[in-house]
Each structure stands twice: as structure tokens, then as C-alpha cells.
Amino acid sequence: MSTDDTTPERTLVEAVSDGLHTEMERDDSVVVLGEDVGASGGVFRATEGLYDRFGRDRVVDTPLAESGIVGTAVGLAANGMRPVPELQFMGFVYPAFDQIVNHVARMRTRSRGRYSCPMTIRIPFGGGIRAPEHHSESKEAFFVHEAGLKVVVPSTPYDTKGLLASAIRDPDPVIFLEPKLIYRSFREEVPDEPYTVPIGEAAVRREGTDVSVFTWGAMTRPTMEAAENLAEEGVDCEVVDLRTLSPIDRETIVDSFEKTGRAVVVHEAPKTGGLAGEITSLIQEEALLYQEAPIERVTGFDVPYPLYALEDYYLPEAARIEDGIREAVEF
């Protein structure tokens, strides 16, 4: 969609809020529920103004009980509503896993296609904001592993509103992961009117010929910084923001790798069992004959997410990403 001088600029969290307002205006079946989402506007203010505009029947404060929040959303979805439950931090999602894995993800297959479970579970995720324990995890791989769920991770305000609209309108459940590190890091034009960004399509943020760098969410910005720094050394990086982790955009990944023959995957989750391993296998299954160097993984470490003093060391930043890219290019 084209934008102009009158298009407002919004942060990522403001794009979440605007997206919720827009979809609730458009569709009376959309309801929001979660801890503090009502009059207080949510822990990150993402639901600010919804309660005053749509009232307590469509913006529902819940007890601190994540299994109950998602379980209630299952009942709403089964009865024709489109619930958007918010779980305040990814570290709080574990009590809701039973509902997500055994009910949300299986509704369509369990009912042989008679019923679906159209809900969008919003979860602020990732680190970098000096939060206490259980507030900074990046467990996207848990959800990607579960068939029946779509998993979306925006990295820009424009994509956030469009992808959120696509998620809410989707006939099946979507896990919508919001990188809170960049909730308020920058602004870009986000139109007031409704629009969608397709689920399942990656975005090539930077064209390049020497190496493909695959990433998503908050890691997109340091990856772009690394790519620009390396351009001064003559290394031409192609940066691909996956945007959707399930279903993953296999075609864009393979096309990019076939062009460059080298790849680096950047994510903040721990390396072992992380999505970088799956992307590496995908490339080797479908483009092995184009491979000119081992695929590098620049990730968080295989430890519980650290507290403040080590947080900056844990998260991949531009310098560490640059080192991973040099390894791939200089092999």
C-alpha cells in the first residue's frame, strides 16, 4: 500500500494498538482478553483505549491465570467469536501450553474439519529490556514444532499492523510474537485504514550477492547494521526477514541461498533446538549443490536467559553477527 505525507508514523506497539482498534471496528466478533488489558491499557499499553471504545463485553480483564485465558478463548472461538488473548510475557505462557497444544492447535484435525479455532494469541517476547526472570524468553521453536499453529513475528510497525490483521482474520489459530525490545525503538508510516500483510511471506530487507542472512523480529535491526558495516569491507549481504516462522517461506530462503551460496541464521533463542537448525536442514535438503561454505548460526547461548549484567552479552549484536558473516564468507 502506498503512503503519503498524511500517513501517521507509529512505533511497533502503537501499530499493535492501532491494528486492534481497526479490526475491532471492522468485525464485531473480535474480542480482547487478558490480564490488565482493560481500563489500564495493558502492561505495555498495547490495548490502551480499547476498553473506553468497545466496552467491557469486548475488552475483558481476566484473573492472573494463563491457562484460563486461553481456555476461555477456545470456548469463544468455538462459538463464533474471534478472540485475541494477550499473555503478558512469553515466560508466562507455560501454564497455557495444555490449552494451546491439546485444544487450540488440534481443533480442526480433531473435528475432521467441522470446526476451526480462529484466535490470535499475542505474546510479547524476547529480551533486552532489563526485565526480571521469566520475562525475556524466545521460545518460538516450541510453537513452530506444534502442527496446527501459525507463528508470526513482525519486525516493523507497518508489518505489525498488517500481519496482525491477517492473523485476526485467519480461520485458524495464530501465535503472534511481538518483539518488545523494539516496541518503541523507531517509527515508520502506518496507515490508519485497514490493510493486511500476508502470513507466510518473507521480506528481503537488503539485496546482496555474497551471503544470505536470515533473521526475524528484534534481531533484524542489528543484522541490518552488521550488513551495512560489512558493505564498507566489500561484503555484500542479503538480509531476509522471515516474518512468519510457520509456515516458513521456503521459496524465498532457497532462492536467496541459490543466489549467494552462503548463509548465516541469526536469532536470540538458544542455539540447540533453535530455528537456525531447521533452516540449515531446509537449505541442505533443497539447495545442497549450491552450498559453498558451512552455514553459520549466530544465536543466544544454551543457558537460562540471564539477568541484567549479562543480557547484552547474551543477545546477538552487530559485532557478533559480523563475525558470523565473516566466517561464512571467508571459508
Side-chain angles (χ1 to χ4, degrees), residues 252-282:
T252 297
I253 292 172
V254 172
D255 286 351
S256 179
F257 186 76
E258 288 181 351
K259 182 167 70 171
T260 66
R262 303 170 192 270
V264 177
V265 186
V266 180
H267 63 61
E268 63 179 283
K271 176 181 284 187
T272 301
L275 262 293
E278 181 63 27
I279 293 166
T280 299
S281 292
L282 164 65

Side-chain angles (χ1 to χ4, degrees), residues 170-186:
D170 197 282
D172 289 301
V174 177
I175 305 294
F176 196 83
L177 302 178
E178 298 167 8
K180 58 182 182 290
L181 174 61
I182 54 173
Y183 258 161
R184 296 178 172 84
S185 296
F186 62 103

Side-chain angles (χ1 to χ4, degrees), residues 1-4 7-8 10 18 22 161 190-196:
M1 175 177 293
S2 62
T3 57
D4 54 43
T7 303
R10 293 183 165 96
D18 187 51
T22 301
K161 180 175 178 178
V190 177
D192 288 327
E193 61 267 25
Y195 67 92
T196 60

Side-chain angles (χ1 to χ4, degrees), residues 83 86 177 205:
E86 175 186 292
L177 302 178
R205 300 294 185 194

